[in-house]
Each structure stands twice: as structure tokens, then as C-alpha cells.
Amino acid sequence: MSSLDQFAHAKLADLDAKSLRRTLKETRRDGAVHAWRDGRRLLSFCDNDYLNLSQDARVKQAAIAAIESHGTGSGASRLVTGNHPLYATLEARLAALKGTEDAIVFGSGYLANIGIVPALAGKGDLILVDELAHACLNAGARLSGARVVPFRHNDLGHLTDLLATERTQFRHCMILIDRVYSMDGDLAPVAAISALATAHDAWLMSDDAHGIGVMPKEDPSLVPLQMGTLSKALGSYGGYLCASAPIVALLRSRARSFVYTTGLPPASVAAAIAALDVIEGDPEWATTPVVRARQFTRLLNLPHAESPIVPVVIGEADAAMAASERLLAQGFLVTAIRPPTVPAGTARLRITFSAGHSEADVLALADAVRAALP
């Protein structure tokens, strides 16, 4: 066995001992809220497709038509040959939705964040990032070469102190937050953080991956850098930034994860445009995931849900895995989330609700979770 394989085996053994090893499970989605795994049809509560639009006939037909017109791939980097006509439509729609002058689409949300942050901040700058912000915001911050300082989650006092003690030592400052935190489902105090950013000449960037389509629109005057994804409520794939025209123009030249990678396939772009049509055509329906989440939290006497994401914190990784397996045995697909995705000692069931879940589905899940908890 080579030293490389020995290294991998040792690392895997350590992960196994801590119940932290990840494995892929073959799963086939079946309509809006069901999935097949190991020959069983399960009711799924672990999907970020909050409006089930990846399964919507209108969205799928738009993707098929785009393939017929434009092919399966974009061909190259958009700056070289990959800017098929649908891109301009999608970027204009996103900018209109978010109330900004322009928008830029990336290959994924992760690619967006590791491109945007280093294009705007670098050595001699300061980045303050919420300690629970998504991994890709942290990755972008670290890649920038700026000084990176985390602040306690949603702690305005800690952020205020850091701005007071650190800001004047640096040329520029960015503040990075999630609008909806993906593992806890809580919301950032955007207005208060925006006021602090303005007072200290800091640039606020919000990751709205889990908010677009299912949460009220952000005030563009509060957040100059509105990032998000096309892969959750919009049911497609890709990432974006909505911002002023000069910022977007700069990113088209300087964001390395835009310049040096192939553009999104036409089908993904067309699907996102169609999803926006569906959402804008029925805004009340788009609120259903949060309604279902709140029904669940009432049934289990959990904190009031602020988004479609509800965590049931268990503690240790092996206990969370066991609870997930007990739910699976009852016909529910609910994933256990373990460190390092969440802090040590906070392994949990991460439960997500969609517009396709019925009240009866939520009631059945609540009963099953009660029985599954240690």
C-alpha cells in the first residue's frame, strides 16, 4: 500500500470512529416530495427544492426547449464563446427581482462566493464574517488575502466592537452574512447590520441562497451585494450576484470563477427563467414552505420557524445518525447533519419543508420525530 493510500485509510478510520464519514446513497426523486432509496418510497424532508420547481412541468419544458435551441452545453467561458442569449434575459430578471442595476450569473453558488469576495477585497482589507456563514463565504474570504475575523452569530454587539477596534486599520471592509442560515434556519438582522456597515464605511454582502423565492424580498438599499443561488427554490443550478452596474462590470473582468470557467448550460438558465415566471405568477403559493415549517414547530413546541428550515438539535453525531435511521425505518428521509458542517456537539436533524408537503405530511413527520428522538 502506498503512503498516499495509507494516509487516506488512516483518515477514514478516524472519521469512522467519530461517526463523521460521509457516504453517497443512491436516491431517485419521485415527484415533488417523495424519493426512492433501497427499493423503498420515502417521504422526503431533506430537499432544498422548496417550491418543487425542479419537478414542475413548465420548468422542465423550458429546459428541454433550451436544449433543442442551444444544445446541452455553453461551449466555453462566457467571455470566450459561451454567452448564449438566455443569459441576458436571466440576469435582467434577477436584477429586476432584487431591485439592482445589474446581475451576474456564475456556475454555482460556491463559485460565486469564491469569485466575488476576492475580486472586491484583498491584502490590506478587512473581512468580518458571521461565524455560521456558509463555507463558501468563508472560502472566498480566505482566498482574498484580506484579514478575516469572524463575529459571533447574529451578535450585533460583537460586530460593533470589531468595527470600532479593527476598521480604521484597513483600507476597505466587507461584512459577510447569510440572509437565511442554512443549518439553523434563522434570519440575519439585516437592517441593523446594514446600519453598522454604513456607519463604518463597510460593504455588506448577503448570501440569499435559502431565501430567494420563499422569503420577502430584501431592501436593495440595505444590501449593496445580494448574492444567491438558482439551485434551491428556483429548482435549477447556478449562482448570481445582484449589484450596481459598476460592480457587475468589474466582476465580469476580475472574478476568477467567472472568467476562467465554462458558463452554465442553456437548460439551467432557461429553467431558472421559467421558475421566476412561476414564482412571480403565484406569490402566495411561494409562502407555503414557511407555513408548513411553522406548523411543524408548533406541533413539537420548537422555536417559531423563520424560514423553511427547522433544525432538531440532538448533540452527538452518532445519536443524530441513529435518529435519522429510525425515521428512515418509518418511511421518512431526514438527513443527519454532523460536524464540521455544524459546530461540535450540535449534530442535528435538518428538516426542510416545501410547497408540496401537505398538512397531513407535516403531522405524520412530527409524530415520527417524537418517536425517533433519543
Side-chain angles (χ1 to χ4, degrees):
M1 184 185 297
S2 71
S3 61
L4 178 57
D5 284 340
Q6 290 176 355
F7 167 82
H9 277 291
K11 288 290 187 181
L12 289 171
D14 183 60
L15 291 173
D16 285 334
K18 298 174 181 175
S19 298
L20 297 179
R21 184 171 178 174
R22 268 72 167 163
T23 57
L24 296 172
K25 302 288 187 181
E26 185 171 313
T27 306
R28 178 174 61 84
R29 294 183 68 189
D30 179 10
V33 296
H34 289 90
W36 287 87
R37 181 179 289 184
D38 296 329
R40 299 177 60 213
R41 191 171 188 252
L42 306 168
L43 186 58
S44 176
F45 284 92
C46 61
D47 204 310
N48 294 331
D49 187 8
Y50 300 118
L51 299 177
N52 312 118
L53 289 176
S54 73
Q55 307 296 310
D56 188 279
R58 294 162 291 185
V59 176
K60 291 193 286 187
Q61 187 54 50
I64 292 168
I67 290 174
E68 293 294 339
S69 296
H70 303 287
T72 59
S74 61
S77 165
R78 291 174 60 191
L79 292 170
V80 177
T81 188
N83 205 45
H84 53 77
L86 293 171
Y87 267 112
T89 300
L90 176 58
E91 289 171 338
R93 291 289 298 277
L94 289 168
L97 176 69
K98 291 289 192 173
T100 61
E101 292 179 337
D102 206 349
I104 178 173
V105 169
F106 291 81
S108 71
Y110 204 105
L111 286 172
N113 280 335
I114 66 170
I116 296 163
V117 180
L120 298 177
K123 188 176 181 180
D125 296 327
L126 172 68
I127 297 177
L128 303 176
V129 56
D130 189 290
E131 64 181 353
L132 296 187
H134 195 273
C136 56
L137 276 174
N138 281 280
R142 300 295 174 184
L143 286 170
S144 72
R147 172 167 165 75
V148 180
V149 181
F151 61 91
R152 290 188 293 272
H153 177 54
N154 279 350
D155 189 328
L156 295 172
H158 190 207
L159 178 58
T160 300
D161 291 343
L162 289 173
L163 285 165
T165 58
E166 298 266 358
R167 171 67 186 97
T168 58
Q169 304 173 49
F170 297 90
R171 179 183 52 185
H172 302 304
C173 175
M174 293 185 74
I175 300 174
L176 308 182
I177 61 173
D178 288 7
R179 185 188 179 204
V180 178
Y181 285 88
S182 61
M183 293 298 119
D184 291 87
D186 59 337
L187 308 183
V190 174
I193 293 176
S194 176
L196 285 173
T198 299
H200 292 273
D201 187 25
W203 307 334
L204 177 58
M205 177 171 167
S206 172
D207 183 332
D208 195 31
H210 295 273
I212 183 174
V214 292
M215 302 297 295
K217 296 178 184 179
E218 290 179 289
D219 182 344
S221 68
L222 299 179
V223 185
L225 300 166
Q226 298 185 60
M227 176 269 167
T229 66
L230 312 174
S231 56
K232 275 69 172 181
L234 298 189
S236 182
Y237 195 72
Y240 67 83
L241 179 77
C242 293
S244 69
I247 292 169
V248 171
L250 175 63
L251 292 175
R252 288 188 177 127
S253 289
R254 300 299 294 170
R256 296 176 67 85
S257 59
F258 175 85
V259 175
Y260 298 112
T261 193
T262 300
L264 276 176
S268 297
V269 181
I273 295 169
L276 289 171
D277 290 338
V278 175
I279 292 169
E280 291 171 2
D282 194 352
E284 184 175 349
W285 168 75
T287 67
T288 305
V290 178
V291 171
R292 295 287 179 258
R294 289 174 177 167
Q295 290 170 348
F296 178 78
T297 55
R298 285 196 298 270
L299 288 167
L300 287 185
N301 197 30
L302 294 170
H304 184 68
E306 297 182 80
S307 73
I309 304 163
V310 176
V312 179
V313 178
I314 294 175
E316 297 306 314
D318 54 354
M321 292 290 288
S324 178
E325 288 297 322
R326 286 192 285 271
L327 285 171
L328 191 66
Q330 296 182 68
F332 297 92
L333 187 57
V334 178
T335 303
I337 305 296
R338 299 162 285 165
T341 306
V342 293
T346 69
R348 68 198 60 191
L349 301 174
R350 177 185 182 268
I351 302 173
T352 55
F353 296 86
S354 79
H357 289 122
S358 67
E359 291 188 32
D361 292 336
V362 175
L363 180 60
L365 175 68
D367 290 340
V369 169
R370 285 193 198 96
L373 292 179

